[in-house]
Amino acid sequence: MANAIYQKEDDDRRSTSAKLPKNHLHRGPSLLYTAPALLFFGVFALVPLVGVAILSFTNWDGLSAITFNGLGNWNRMLNDPLVLNAIKITIILTVVSWAVQTPICILLGTFMAGPQKYRALLGVLYFIPLLFSSTAVAITFKKLLDPNFGVGRAFGIDWLAHNWLGDPKTALYAIIFVVSWCFIPLHSLLYQGAVRQVPTSMYEAATIDGAGTVRQFFSITLPQLKYTFATDSTLMIVGSLTYFDLVYVMTAGGPGNATRILPLDMYLKGFKSYDMGGASVVGVIILALGIAVSLILNRLSGSDKMESQMEGA
Amino acid sequence: MIRIKNKQYNLVGGFLGWVWLLIVVIPIYYIVVTSLRDQSEIYSTNPLSLPSKPTLDAYGRVFANDFLLYIGNTLFVTLVTVVLTLLVTIMAAYAITRRADGPARTIYKVIIVGLAIPMQATIIPVYYLIIKMGLYDTLWAIILPSVGFAIPITVMILCNFLRDIPQSLFEAMEVDGASEFKIMFKLAIPMIKPAIITVAIYDALQVWNGFLFPLILTQSQSNRVITMSLWAFQGQFTVDIPGLLAAVVVSVIPLLTAYIFGRKQMVAGLTAGFSK
């Protein structure tokens, strides 16, 4: 009954408040109000978090009994060329899609932040891809990038009608293009909001000093976007660890293993090769990467936004 | 004076703005025209030309494939998930912000850890739990983990809004002898209604478009949700390109309708994960 103790402390604190009647016994609702949320979060988030680490030391085919096998899976997975390949591809996907999306998002965000009416209208249209499920997007582009009936044929330019997703050399980059199509609207919107918050007086002063649009963009807009840049990059990078559905529906990891990113490798190992232990090792690697990236970016940016949100209450 | 900066046109941004419009519109235009095309035309005509004789046959084939059942399943899963999530998170967020004491803070920190973690990495234990609970291949197998995953972001957003309610309002009701339950319903919930709508939309979109849970935790055709059925169509309609793209169009229509009628709320909902 730890509750009772905490409640007691609260009572003491509250009793100094003269506004309330003496017989008012506690401050705020019982901690039991948090119990249902904690139950769901505990069972479906915390337990699995610990569970994936435990399962990484076991043998399990998804059906029969689970047996411990020590570091066996870890040895196997860290020497598995598929896992090493998945790590490499995941890093390429993450870094390239970040590097492609960020400048476009900053420019589009700045553009949409302008006061002109038509820009707001374009913003409304830019948003439509966000209404598509990843599955819908994946199917759309699988067909659209097809060399036989896809859009490539529409312009009469031969190299456009390439089998983008079927060629191991281009498949990953085709996926990065599709990822950008999905997520650029969202991230542009964040930059748009940030640009709108830059005080107009800064631009006025710069104009009086004779700075042109380009100069203003680089010496006022960009520096003012520092924090948005940090948060947005974190979201983008951590998010890219979860592009599972898009890639799975478009290429299922192929051709060969050219697009077999970590989450896909985990899924295929666990649910297609019935190697849940090995798949759990990959799961732990994904978790470690995600947490490491969040922490490093948070430190690097010196932004305390995330932290202050975490301090909370 | 205020608008002075716009006298010089932002050339790069302007160019990119229109190019991006094309990049957004062409795929959407492509799926719509292709879904209206006759199967025989697919390989012969220009993919971006208007269909010579537009037909809705493809849509007929989609609905003949139980698509309404899948929409029904998705609606059920989404509604139950959102209602359950709101129920448990509103109570939790209310207690956390009202108490603001040590244990409440600890609970908040524990929940918020979920934000920094790519939760999808834990699907294997989730699969294990669902089997042990005897829920495999039911719609509840999608609902329960979805609620668990939605809790961190929902609690965070609700807490941010609850904290802005002036303390004096709570105290006034306390002096009147109102119970905590009554204060929550009569004061807290009405005051954060916009935030509740925003998180409800955010959570609903996540579930509506979710793929991983249904893929791993359900199996039979009767428990298919829209994303699963699209995926199944892809295997089934390998040559029926108009049929497949018609299914894509149908899958987007509910959210597109919502966007047309409540654009502000939808935008707020979708970006809820990022700002307050």
Side-chain angles (χ1 to χ4, degrees), chain A residues 163-233:
Chain A
N163 189 0
W164 298 101
L165 289 166
D167 176 351
K169 282 200 209 72
T170 55
L172 189 60
Y173 297 94
I175 284 176
I176 291 170
F177 175 78
V178 179
V179 163
S180 307
W181 191 81
C182 284
F183 294 103
I184 281 180
L186 188 61
H187 297 286
S188 303
L189 215 60
L190 297 186
Y191 282 111
Q192 178 199 28
V195 172
R196 282 202 174 140
Q197 280 177 356
V198 178
T200 354
S201 56
M202 293 182 78
Y203 291 109
E204 285 164 23
T207 312
I208 290 164
D209 290 347
T213 320
V214 177
R215 181 79 196 279
Q216 290 185 11
F217 176 76
F218 282 103
S219 43
I220 302 174
T221 314
L222 271 190
Q224 291 286 317
L225 294 178
K226 209 167 56 184
Y227 291 116
T228 312
F229 173 76
T231 352
D232 189 64
S233 298

Side-chain angles (χ1 to χ4, degrees), chain A residues 45-56 287, chain B residues 122 125:
Chain A
L46 293 183
V47 169
L49 209 54
V50 180
V52 72
I54 296 175
L55 284 174
S56 75
L287 282 176
Chain B
T122 64

Side-chain angles (χ1 to χ4, degrees), chain A residues 6-19:
Chain A
Y6 290 124
Q7 214 122 53
K8 177 82 174 62
E9 277 174 13
D10 272 349
D11 299 343
D12 295 346
R13 210 168 354 134
R14 182 44 69 103
S15 64
T16 54
S17 159
K19 275 187 205 154

Side-chain angles (χ1 to χ4, degrees), chain A residues 6-7 10 13-14 19-20 24 26-31 33-34 36-38 40-41 43-49 51-52 55 60 62 66 104 107-108 110-111 115 118-119 122 124-133 135-136 139-144 148-151 153-155 177 180-181 184 186 189-190 200 203-204 207-208 211-213 216 235 241-242 244-245 248-249 266-267 271 276 279-280 283 286-287 290-291 294 305 309-313, chain B residues 1-6 8-10 12-14 16-18 20-21 23-24 26-28 30-31 42-48 84 88 91-92 94-96 98-101 103-105 107-112 114 116-131 133 144-145 147-149 151-152 156 163 167 171 174-175 180-181 184 209 211-212 215-216 227 230-231 234 241 244-245 248 251-252 255-256 259 263 266-267 270-271 274:
Chain A
Y6 290 124
Q7 214 122 53
D10 272 349
R13 210 168 354 134
R14 182 44 69 103
K19 275 187 205 154
L20 289 165
H24 187 88
H26 65 93
R27 175 170 187 236
S30 146
L31 278 178
Y33 276 57
T34 63
L38 282 177
F40 272 105
F41 183 69
V43 173
F44 292 104
L46 293 183
V47 169
L49 209 54
V52 72
L55 284 174
W60 185 39
I66 301 178
I104 299 180
L107 284 170
L108 271 184
T110 314
F111 170 73
Y118 79 95
R119 295 190 181 182
L122 290 183
V124 172
L125 296 171
Y126 292 160
F127 203 78
I128 295 175
L130 291 170
L131 305 170
F132 282 62
S133 63
T135 327
I139 292 174
T140 299
F141 279 92
K142 207 173 159 177
K143 299 304 158 201
L144 188 141
N148 298 314
F149 45 81
V151 163
R153 238 166 26 98
F155 305 100
F177 175 78
S180 307
W181 191 81
I184 281 180
L186 188 61
L189 215 60
L190 297 186
T200 354
Y203 291 109
E204 285 164 23
T207 312
I208 290 164
T213 320
Q216 290 185 11
L235 286 166
L241 291 169
T242 62
F244 172 81
D245 28 11
Y248 184 57
V249 179
M266 172 179 74
Y267 172 79
F271 295 91
M276 295 289 180
S280 297
I286 299 173
L287 282 176
I291 295 169
S294 305
K305 184 152 185 254
Q309 279 174 351
M310 291 200 180
E311 285 308 320
Chain B
M1 196 64 188
I2 292 171
R3 293 283 148 89
I4 224 164
K5 66 165 173 148
N6 296 302
Q8 292 157 301
Y9 191 70
N10 175 354
V12 188
L16 187 69
W18 291 103
W20 194 257
L21 183 68
I23 295 180
V24 167
I26 288 175
I28 296 170
Y30 171 78
I31 51 174
I42 293 293
Y43 293 92
S44 51
T45 50
N46 185 312
L48 292 181
L84 269 178
V88 304
M91 281 172 62
Y94 177 71
I96 289 168
R98 280 279 285 141
R99 296 176 63 96
D101 56 358
R105 234 172 243 148
I107 290 173
Y108 184 75
K109 277 184 190 162
V110 169
I111 291 178
I112 238 69
I117 292 170
M119 300 299 287
Q120 288 80 352
T122 64
I123 43 157
I124 291 165
V126 169
Y127 170 74
Y128 176 81
L129 285 169
I130 290 294
I131 290 177
M133 291 173 177
L144 299 182
V147 175
F149 279 33
I151 283 175
M156 186 191 87
R163 262 179 232 129
Q167 202 56 38
E171 281 165 10
E174 276 176 25
V175 173
E180 283 299 338
F181 211 67
M184 182 169 83
N209 286 336
F211 181 78
L212 193 58
L215 175 72
I216 285 166
T227 48
L230 276 182
W231 185 63
Q234 194 196 212
I241 316 295
L244 183 58
L245 293 180
V248 169
S251 83
V252 178
L255 294 189
L256 192 64
Y259 183 58
R263 190 166 55 82
M266 287 288 277
V267 174
L270 259 166
T271 50
F274 304 129

Side-chain angles (χ1 to χ4, degrees), chain A residues 76-91:
Chain A
R76 206 157 43 86
M77 288 302 123
L78 295 179
N79 291 307
D80 180 351
L82 279 178
V83 173
L84 302 178
N85 174 60
I87 294 177
K88 193 184 93 190
I89 291 176
T90 308
I91 292 174

